[in-house]
Amino acid sequence: MGAAPAEPVEWLDLVNERDEVTGRVTREDAWAWRLPVRVVNAFLVNARGQLWIPRRTQTKRTFPGCLDMSVGGHVESGESYEQAFRRETREELNLNVDDLPWREIAAFSPFQTPLSTFMRVYELRADEAPAFNTADFSGAEWLTPAELLERVARGDPAKGDLAELVRRCYPT
């Protein structure tokens, strides 16, 4: 019997406190050493102001079974924030951002906030739930920001930065 094939190495840009690229690092090393890298997150918002909040599958390496942002992922080495946002939205939600109204709503630094990484946050507008990637998410529901924060406060497991992002981007 042969060994299982190794996952491909995911290279990320290592950045300084001004979000300027200083080198490259693997995703595993970035998280193991808490090195500053870049991510994108997005919220799908309907006309009622509800956020489409998915639950991660139990097979995810990090935060299995947790509530998550509508879209989230690392900015790969050499990629821009917007390119990563477009790629992740296509991979996770099977949506082309050019087919929906969207905008960047925030940019955060881990040196100035309690958030884990440099991140850009986007908002997509749609009233229909997407045909999401079932390898990423086991299900989803529409929740107001207040409902989501209440669920997390009551102990519903959530991805690390989710509640803080919602508080910062959608104050109640």
CSV table of all heavy atoms in Angstrom, one decimal, residues 2-34:
chain,number,residue,atom,x,y,z
A,2,GLY,N,0.5,2.2,-0.9
A,2,GLY,CA,1.3,3.4,-0.9
A,2,GLY,C,0.7,4.4,0.1
A,2,GLY,O,-0.4,4.3,0.5
A,3,ALA,N,1.6,5.4,0.3
A,3,ALA,CA,1.1,6.5,1.2
A,3,ALA,C,0.1,7.4,0.5
A,3,ALA,O,0.2,7.5,-0.7
A,3,ALA,CB,2.3,7.3,1.7
A,4,ALA,N,-0.7,8.0,1.3
A,4,ALA,CA,-1.6,9.0,0.7
A,4,ALA,C,-0.9,10.1,0.1
A,4,ALA,O,0.2,10.5,0.6
A,4,ALA,CB,-2.6,9.5,1.8
A,5,PRO,N,-1.3,10.6,-1.1
A,5,PRO,CA,-0.6,11.8,-1.7
A,5,PRO,C,-0.6,13.0,-0.8
A,5,PRO,O,-1.6,13.3,-0.1
A,5,PRO,CB,-1.4,12.0,-3.0
A,5,PRO,CG,-2.7,11.4,-2.8
A,5,PRO,CD,-2.5,10.3,-1.8
A,6,ALA,N,0.5,13.6,-0.8
A,6,ALA,CA,0.7,14.8,0.1
A,6,ALA,C,-0.1,16.0,-0.5
A,6,ALA,O,-0.2,16.1,-1.8
A,6,ALA,CB,2.2,15.2,0.2
A,7,GLU,N,-0.6,16.8,0.3
A,7,GLU,CA,-1.3,18.0,-0.2
A,7,GLU,C,-0.3,19.0,-0.7
A,7,GLU,O,0.8,19.1,-0.2
A,7,GLU,CB,-2.1,18.7,1.0
A,7,GLU,CG,-3.3,17.9,1.4
A,7,GLU,CD,-4.1,18.7,2.4
A,7,GLU,OE1,-4.1,19.9,2.4
A,7,GLU,OE2,-4.8,18.1,3.3
A,8,PRO,N,-0.7,19.7,-1.8
A,8,PRO,CA,0.3,20.6,-2.3
A,8,PRO,C,0.6,21.7,-1.3
A,8,PRO,O,-0.2,22.1,-0.5
A,8,PRO,CB,-0.4,21.2,-3.6
A,8,PRO,CG,-1.8,20.9,-3.4
A,8,PRO,CD,-1.9,19.7,-2.5
A,9,VAL,N,1.8,22.2,-1.4
A,9,VAL,CA,2.2,23.3,-0.5
A,9,VAL,C,1.6,24.6,-0.9
A,9,VAL,O,1.6,24.9,-2.1
A,9,VAL,CB,3.8,23.5,-0.5
A,9,VAL,CG1,4.2,24.7,0.4
A,9,VAL,CG2,4.4,22.2,0.0
A,10,GLU,N,1.0,25.3,0.0
A,10,GLU,CA,0.3,26.6,-0.2
A,10,GLU,C,1.2,27.7,0.2
A,10,GLU,O,1.5,27.8,1.4
A,10,GLU,CB,-1.0,26.6,0.5
A,10,GLU,CG,-1.9,27.8,0.2
A,10,GLU,CD,-3.2,27.8,0.8
A,10,GLU,OE1,-3.6,26.9,1.6
A,10,GLU,OE2,-3.9,28.8,0.6
A,11,TRP,N,1.7,28.5,-0.8
A,11,TRP,CA,2.6,29.6,-0.5
A,11,TRP,C,1.8,30.9,-0.3
A,11,TRP,O,1.0,31.2,-1.1
A,11,TRP,CB,3.6,29.7,-1.6
A,11,TRP,CG,4.7,28.6,-1.6
A,11,TRP,CD1,4.7,27.5,-2.3
A,11,TRP,CD2,5.8,28.5,-0.7
A,11,TRP,NE1,5.7,26.7,-2.0
A,11,TRP,CE2,6.5,27.3,-1.0
A,11,TRP,CE3,6.3,29.4,0.2
A,11,TRP,CZ2,7.6,26.9,-0.4
A,11,TRP,CZ3,7.5,29.0,0.9
A,11,TRP,CH2,8.1,27.8,0.6
A,12,LEU,N,2.2,31.6,0.8
A,12,LEU,CA,1.6,32.9,1.1
A,12,LEU,C,2.6,34.0,1.1
A,12,LEU,O,3.8,33.6,1.4
A,12,LEU,CB,0.9,32.8,2.4
A,12,LEU,CG,-0.1,31.7,2.7
A,12,LEU,CD1,-0.6,31.7,4.1
A,12,LEU,CD2,-1.2,31.7,1.7
A,13,ASP,N,2.2,35.2,0.9
A,13,ASP,CA,3.2,36.3,1.0
A,13,ASP,C,3.3,36.6,2.5
A,13,ASP,O,2.3,36.8,3.2
A,13,ASP,CB,2.7,37.5,0.3
A,13,ASP,CG,2.8,37.4,-1.2
A,13,ASP,OD1,3.8,36.7,-1.7
A,13,ASP,OD2,2.0,38.0,-2.0
A,14,LEU,N,4.5,36.7,3.0
A,14,LEU,CA,4.9,37.2,4.3
A,14,LEU,C,4.9,38.7,4.2
A,14,LEU,O,5.5,39.3,3.3
A,14,LEU,CB,6.2,36.6,4.8
A,14,LEU,CG,6.7,37.0,6.2
A,14,LEU,CD1,5.7,36.4,7.2
A,14,LEU,CD2,8.1,36.4,6.4
A,15,VAL,N,4.2,39.4,5.1
A,15,VAL,CA,4.2,40.9,5.1
A,15,VAL,C,4.7,41.5,6.4
A,15,VAL,O,4.7,40.8,7.4
A,15,VAL,CB,2.8,41.4,4.7
A,15,VAL,CG1,2.4,40.9,3.3
A,15,VAL,CG2,1.7,40.9,5.7
A,16,ASN,N,5.1,42.8,6.3
A,16,ASN,CA,5.5,43.5,7.5
A,16,ASN,C,4.3,44.2,8.1
A,16,ASN,O,3.2,44.1,7.6
A,16,ASN,CB,6.7,44.4,7.1
A,16,ASN,CG,6.3,45.5,6.2
A,16,ASN,OD1,5.1,45.9,6.0
A,16,ASN,ND2,7.3,46.2,5.5
A,17,GLU,N,4.6,45.0,9.1
A,17,GLU,CA,3.5,45.7,9.8
A,17,GLU,C,2.8,46.7,8.9
A,17,GLU,O,1.7,47.2,9.3
A,17,GLU,CB,4.0,46.4,11.1
A,17,GLU,CG,5.0,47.5,10.8
A,17,GLU,CD,6.4,47.1,10.6
A,17,GLU,OE1,6.7,45.9,10.6
A,17,GLU,OE2,7.3,47.9,10.2
A,18,ARG,N,3.3,47.1,7.8
A,18,ARG,CA,2.6,48.0,6.8
A,18,ARG,C,1.9,47.2,5.7
A,18,ARG,O,1.5,47.8,4.7
A,18,ARG,CB,3.6,49.0,6.3
A,18,ARG,CG,4.1,50.0,7.4
A,18,ARG,CD,5.1,51.0,6.8
A,18,ARG,NE,6.3,50.4,6.2
A,18,ARG,CZ,7.3,49.9,6.8
A,18,ARG,NH1,7.4,49.8,8.1
A,18,ARG,NH2,8.3,49.4,6.1
A,19,ASP,N,1.9,45.9,5.8
A,19,ASP,CA,1.2,45.0,4.8
A,19,ASP,C,2.0,45.1,3.5
A,19,ASP,O,1.5,45.0,2.4
A,19,ASP,CB,-0.2,45.4,4.6
A,19,ASP,CG,-1.0,44.4,3.8
A,19,ASP,OD1,-0.6,43.2,3.7
A,19,ASP,OD2,-2.1,44.7,3.3
A,20,GLU,N,3.3,45.2,3.6
A,20,GLU,CA,4.2,45.2,2.4
A,20,GLU,C,4.9,43.8,2.4
A,20,GLU,O,5.4,43.3,3.4
A,20,GLU,CB,5.3,46.2,2.5
A,20,GLU,CG,4.8,47.7,2.6
A,20,GLU,CD,5.8,48.7,3.0
A,20,GLU,OE1,6.7,48.3,3.8
A,20,GLU,OE2,5.6,49.9,2.6
A,21,VAL,N,4.9,43.2,1.2
A,21,VAL,CA,5.5,41.9,1.0
A,21,VAL,C,7.0,41.9,1.3
A,21,VAL,O,7.7,42.7,0.8
A,21,VAL,CB,5.2,41.3,-0.4
A,21,VAL,CG1,5.9,40.0,-0.6
A,21,VAL,CG2,3.7,41.2,-0.7
A,22,THR,N,7.4,41.0,2.2
A,22,THR,CA,8.8,40.8,2.5
A,22,THR,C,9.4,39.5,2.2
A,22,THR,O,10.6,39.3,2.3
A,22,THR,CB,9.0,41.1,4.0
A,22,THR,OG1,8.3,40.1,4.8
A,22,THR,CG2,8.6,42.5,4.4
A,23,GLY,N,8.6,38.5,1.8
A,23,GLY,CA,9.0,37.2,1.5
A,23,GLY,C,7.8,36.3,1.3
A,23,GLY,O,6.7,36.7,1.1
A,24,ARG,N,8.1,35.0,1.3
A,24,ARG,CA,7.1,33.9,1.2
A,24,ARG,C,7.2,33.0,2.3
A,24,ARG,O,8.3,32.7,2.9
A,24,ARG,CB,7.3,33.2,-0.1
A,24,ARG,CG,6.9,33.9,-1.4
A,24,ARG,CD,6.9,33.1,-2.6
A,24,ARG,NE,7.5,31.8,-2.6
A,24,ARG,CZ,7.2,30.8,-3.4
A,24,ARG,NH1,6.2,30.9,-4.2
A,24,ARG,NH2,7.8,29.7,-3.4
A,25,VAL,N,6.1,32.4,2.6
A,25,VAL,CA,6.0,31.4,3.7
A,25,VAL,C,4.9,30.4,3.4
A,25,VAL,O,4.0,30.7,2.7
A,25,VAL,CB,5.8,32.1,5.1
A,25,VAL,CG1,4.4,32.8,5.1
A,25,VAL,CG2,5.9,31.2,6.3
A,26,THR,N,5.1,29.2,3.9
A,26,THR,CA,4.0,28.2,3.7
A,26,THR,C,2.9,28.5,4.6
A,26,THR,O,3.1,29.1,5.7
A,26,THR,CB,4.5,26.7,3.9
A,26,THR,OG1,4.8,26.6,5.3
A,26,THR,CG2,5.6,26.4,3.1
A,27,ARG,N,1.7,28.1,4.3
A,27,ARG,CA,0.5,28.3,5.1
A,27,ARG,C,0.7,27.7,6.5
A,27,ARG,O,0.4,28.3,7.5
A,27,ARG,CB,-0.7,27.7,4.4
A,27,ARG,CG,-2.0,27.8,5.3
A,27,ARG,CD,-3.1,27.2,4.5
A,27,ARG,NE,-4.3,27.2,5.4
A,27,ARG,CZ,-5.5,26.9,4.9
A,27,ARG,NH1,-5.7,26.8,3.6
A,27,ARG,NH2,-6.5,26.9,5.8
A,28,GLU,N,1.3,26.5,6.5
A,28,GLU,CA,1.5,25.8,7.8
A,28,GLU,C,2.4,26.6,8.7
A,28,GLU,O,2.2,26.7,9.9
A,28,GLU,CB,2.0,24.4,7.5
A,28,GLU,CG,0.9,23.4,7.0
A,28,GLU,CD,0.6,23.7,5.5
A,28,GLU,OE1,1.4,24.3,4.8
A,28,GLU,OE2,-0.6,23.3,5.2
A,29,ASP,N,3.5,27.1,8.1
A,29,ASP,CA,4.5,27.8,8.9
A,29,ASP,C,3.9,29.2,9.4
A,29,ASP,O,4.1,29.6,10.5
A,29,ASP,CB,5.8,28.1,8.2
A,29,ASP,CG,6.7,26.8,8.1
A,29,ASP,OD1,6.4,25.9,8.8
A,29,ASP,OD2,7.6,26.8,7.3
A,30,ALA,N,3.1,29.8,8.5
A,30,ALA,CA,2.5,31.1,8.9
A,30,ALA,C,1.6,30.9,10.1
A,30,ALA,O,1.7,31.7,11.0
A,30,ALA,CB,1.7,31.6,7.7
A,31,TRP,N,0.8,29.8,10.2
A,31,TRP,CA,-0.1,29.6,11.3
A,31,TRP,C,0.7,29.1,12.5
A,31,TRP,O,0.4,29.5,13.6
A,31,TRP,CB,-1.2,28.7,10.9
A,31,TRP,CG,-2.2,29.5,10.1
A,31,TRP,CD1,-2.3,29.5,8.7
A,31,TRP,CD2,-3.1,30.5,10.5
A,31,TRP,NE1,-3.3,30.4,8.3
A,31,TRP,CE2,-3.8,31.0,9.4
A,31,TRP,CE3,-3.4,31.1,11.8
A,31,TRP,CZ2,-4.7,32.1,9.4
A,31,TRP,CZ3,-4.4,32.1,11.8
A,31,TRP,CH2,-5.0,32.6,10.7
A,32,ALA,N,1.7,28.2,12.3
A,32,ALA,CA,2.4,27.7,13.4
A,32,ALA,C,3.2,28.7,14.1
A,32,ALA,O,3.3,28.7,15.4
A,32,ALA,CB,3.4,26.6,12.9
A,33,TRP,N,3.7,29.7,13.4
A,33,TRP,CA,4.6,30.8,14.0
A,33,TRP,C,3.8,32.1,14.1
A,33,TRP,O,4.4,33.1,14.5
A,33,TRP,CB,5.8,31.0,13.2
A,33,TRP,CG,6.7,29.7,13.2
A,33,TRP,CD1,6.7,28.8,12.2
A,33,TRP,CD2,7.6,29.3,14.2
A,33,TRP,NE1,7.6,27.8,12.5
A,33,TRP,CE2,8.2,28.1,13.8
A,33,TRP,CE3,8.0,29.9,15.4
A,33,TRP,CZ2,9.1,27.4,14.5
A,33,TRP,CZ3,8.9,29.2,16.2
A,33,TRP,CH2,9.4,28.0,15.7
A,34,ARG,N,2.5,32.1,13.8
A,34,ARG,CA,1.7,33.3,13.9
A,34,ARG,C,2.3,34.5,13.1
A,34,ARG,O,2.4,35.6,13.6
A,34,ARG,CB,1.4,33.7,15.3
A,34,ARG,CG,0.7,32.5,16.0
A,34,ARG,CD,0.3,32.9,17.5
A,34,ARG,NE,-0.6,34.0,17.6
A,34,ARG,CZ,-1.9,33.8,17.6
A,34,ARG,NH1,-2.5,32.6,17.6
A,34,ARG,NH2,-2.7,34.9,17.7
